[in-house]
Amino acid sequence: MSSTTSIHGMWSSRLAFILAATGSAVGLGNIWRFPYTAGEYGGGAFVLVYLLCVAAIGVPIMMAEIMLGRRGRQSPINSMRALAREEGASPFWQLLGWVGILSGFLILSFYSVIAGWTLAYVFRAAGGLFSGVDAAGSEAMFNALVADPERLLAWHTVFMVMTALIVARGVSSGLEQAVRWLMPALFVLLVVMVLYAAQAGEFRAGLAYLFYPDFAKLGARFGEAVLSAMGQAFFSLSLGMGAIMIYGSYLNSRASIGQNVGIIAGMDTLVALLAGMAIFPIVFANGLEPGSGPGLIFQTLPIAFGQMPGGSLFGALFFVLLVFAAWTSAISLLEPMVAWLVENRGLSRPRAAALAAAAVWLLGIACLLSLNLWSDITILGRGFLVLFNDLTANVLLPLGGVAIAIFAGWIMRRASSADELGLAGDGLWYLVWLVLVQFVAPACVVLVFLNAIGLF
Ligand code: PHE
């Protein structure tokens, strides 16, 4: 491909890319979604399958996705069209970009609602509402929020406006500074939470729950559990919808993709495990239910903050940092659509951001109403929020990821992919990667799908 830069701007350094991509990966997926999903499937066995999926499917696909973005240098739709042309393949490959836009749209609509819960909790913590709260009180507080559509709408709106503002300015300017300081701060705070859980919670029970793989617990739900673990890996690594692809398109041509992916995936996994290590000891110490669902961290953490000295300040800080983590992920969810609107519809960046965010905001209203007024409207037994959550992570992202793997492994000439990855085409690393994207990742995803629907 001839162009070496993107019209939307470039990261100022390799570090800037790592920070932005880690900012995309680390978010509610690690701290909210990972613990409650692990809890729904009984802990250790789920976590083990999750880690295997990250290593064998997530890492090679992330390399492929960054590579395609960097070679295409445009929004995912246009990048895929250009790459298909370059490789003499069918223009249908741009469909991959469209499915990605759909996934981003659905994910952000509910992601923003959950980020809204997080915003609400900043003020509850700061206002001292957690002090001395017990399990029942914390649950009641959470249920009151979820039952209140006006409150949910207000916070969802605030979060979508925050996201649109940064995307309107261009991701490389606003984002870099924010991620550089806030990500390390979140990390430190999580470590402090783990230390707190180690002395105030049932630490041994929490760790055993998280790291002792008891496959008997999956029992009859084995297929569903493995699918959810795989979906969690795609969701947490931001794979399969073009977010990482577009971030790759802003990366300069010299940076080593493999090394960067190692760092990003490693950080993402570490944050998820730390979140689990902070939460489960508190869950067990307070007789809470690990499988209680999406409210898990919102019901668990307030109890801990309410007991620790300085908990109001500490709790507020924690939720502020979680809002930032969600924010840097949400930006990457919106960016592919906005880049496409700029490229193909000739909109200015601010207009494109406003339009895309408004559409997502509307769909988000359906998600937040599904928690209360519309709770009896269900599709496949799920309200909108849960439906979009399951459908994207467990179906759309893996499908997008497999398409990326197949394009990178089978359609792209080896000379192109080896060159773009900066690896020797006959070297061991390149061949390992190639086997993973050509065979291992697609086969695993297909088998997990077939198994989940009971055909295998
Ligand atoms: N990875 C983000 C998180 O864990 C969510 C996300 C998914 C972001 C897909 C972009 C694309 O919170």
Side-chain angles (χ1 to χ4, degrees):
M1 193 110 315
S2 52
S3 67
T4 53
T5 56
S6 160
I7 62 161
H8 306 288
M10 297 289 287
W11 305 117
S12 60
S13 64
R14 167 172 173 246
L15 180 67
F17 167 75
I18 294 184
L19 288 170
T22 309
S24 167
V26 174
L28 295 171
N30 309 59
I31 294 170
W32 161 71
R33 201 176 190 282
F34 173 78
Y36 90 76
T37 314
E40 276 178 352
Y41 294 103
F46 173 94
V47 173
L48 182 65
V49 177
Y50 169 74
L51 294 175
L52 290 175
C53 289
V54 168
I57 308 178
V59 166
I61 290 186
M62 187 183 279
M63 289 175 67
E65 190 166 339
I66 294 174
M67 174 184 95
L68 297 183
R70 189 165 73 174
R71 216 172 169 76
R73 290 277 183 234
Q74 297 160 69
S75 67
I77 294 172
N78 291 326
S79 283
M80 287 313 298
R81 180 189 300 141
L83 291 171
R85 192 179 310 126
E86 188 188 55
E87 303 294 339
S90 157
F92 276 118
W93 280 100
Q94 63 179 291
L95 198 63
L96 173 55
W98 287 107
V99 175
I101 299 275
L102 173 69
S103 307
F105 198 68
L106 294 174
I107 294 176
L108 191 50
S109 72
F110 74 80
Y111 203 85
S112 172
V113 174
I114 312 293
W117 298 357
T118 315
L119 274 165
Y121 269 62
V122 170
F123 293 90
R124 295 176 170 204
L129 261 62
F130 297 162
S131 64
V133 79
D134 59 4
S138 163
E139 192 183 333
M141 203 188 311
F142 175 73
N143 290 341
L145 173 66
V146 170
D148 184 343
E150 282 150 22
R151 227 170 250 257
L152 294 177
L153 177 62
W155 290 119
H156 163 56
T157 308
V158 170
F159 187 78
M160 275 317 299
V161 170
M162 287 167 56
T163 304
L165 279 177
I166 298 284
V167 176
R169 292 183 49 195
V171 285
S172 49
S173 51
L175 193 61
E176 284 187 34
Q177 290 311 316
V179 187
R180 190 177 302 241
W181 299 107
L182 298 167
M183 298 297 289
L186 177 67
F187 192 80
V188 170
L189 223 60
L190 261 182
V191 171
V192 174
M193 288 299 293
V194 173
L195 294 176
Y196 175 81
Q199 52 101 18
E202 295 279 337
F203 200 52
R204 278 171 154 268
L207 289 195
Y209 183 79
L210 206 54
F211 295 115
Y212 178 73
D214 179 1
F215 280 89
K217 278 197 189 149
L218 301 184
R221 299 210 295 161
F222 183 80
E224 192 190 315
V226 173
L227 177 66
S228 298
M230 184 179 80
Q232 175 63 24
F234 277 97
F235 188 92
S236 190
L237 295 169
S238 302
L239 295 180
M241 55 71 60
I244 287 295
M245 194 183 291
I246 201 150
Y247 277 13
S249 77
Y250 307 150
L251 177 64
N252 79 52
S253 310
R254 291 179 313 277
S256 151
I257 291 181
Q259 257 177 21
N260 287 345
V261 168
I263 298 172
I264 298 161
M267 292 290 290
D268 186 66
T269 307
L270 191 60
V271 171
L273 295 178
L274 284 174
M277 288 163 68
I279 285 159
F280 288 111
I282 305 173
V283 167
F284 293 123
N286 292 283
L288 293 162
E289 176 51 55
S292 66
L296 185 66
I297 68 160
F298 295 94
Q299 293 167 17
T300 308
L301 291 175
I303 304 175
F305 292 131
Q307 289 165 356
M308 68 176 72
S312 300
L313 182 68
F314 200 63
L317 194 59
F318 179 86
F319 284 109
V320 165
L321 292 171
L322 187 52
V323 168
F324 273 101
W327 198 11
T328 54
S329 301
I331 289 162
S332 74
L333 284 160
L334 199 60
E335 178 66 11
M337 326 177 197
V338 170
W340 182 81
L341 286 169
V342 171
E343 288 166 11
N344 287 46
R345 290 283 169 266
L347 296 187
S348 68
R349 199 166 239 287
R351 266 173 195 264
L355 188 71
V360 172
W361 177 78
L362 268 181
L363 194 63
I365 295 177
C367 290
L368 67 89
L369 288 177
S370 75
L371 302 170
N372 39 65
L373 300 179
W374 289 1
S375 59
D376 41 337
I377 306 181
T378 60
I379 301 171
L380 301 170
R382 298 157 167 92
F384 291 111
L385 191 152
V386 178
L387 178 73
F388 295 170
N389 187 0
D390 288 352
L391 180 71
T392 52
N394 297 351
V395 182
L396 294 177
L397 297 183
L399 279 180
V402 168
I404 287 168
I406 290 177
F407 190 90
W410 293 99
I411 307 288
M412 216 163 163
R413 274 165 294 149
R414 290 195 188 185
S416 313
S417 58
D419 168 52
E420 198 61 53
L421 290 173
L423 297 172
D426 52 0
L428 179 65
W429 286 117
Y430 178 72
L431 294 177
V432 169
W433 173 79
L434 195 64
V435 169
L436 290 171
V437 287
Q438 280 190 326
F439 300 102
V440 178
C444 288
V445 173
V446 170
L447 288 180
V448 172
F449 275 161
L450 292 180
N451 183 256
I453 55 177
L455 287 179
F456 171 78

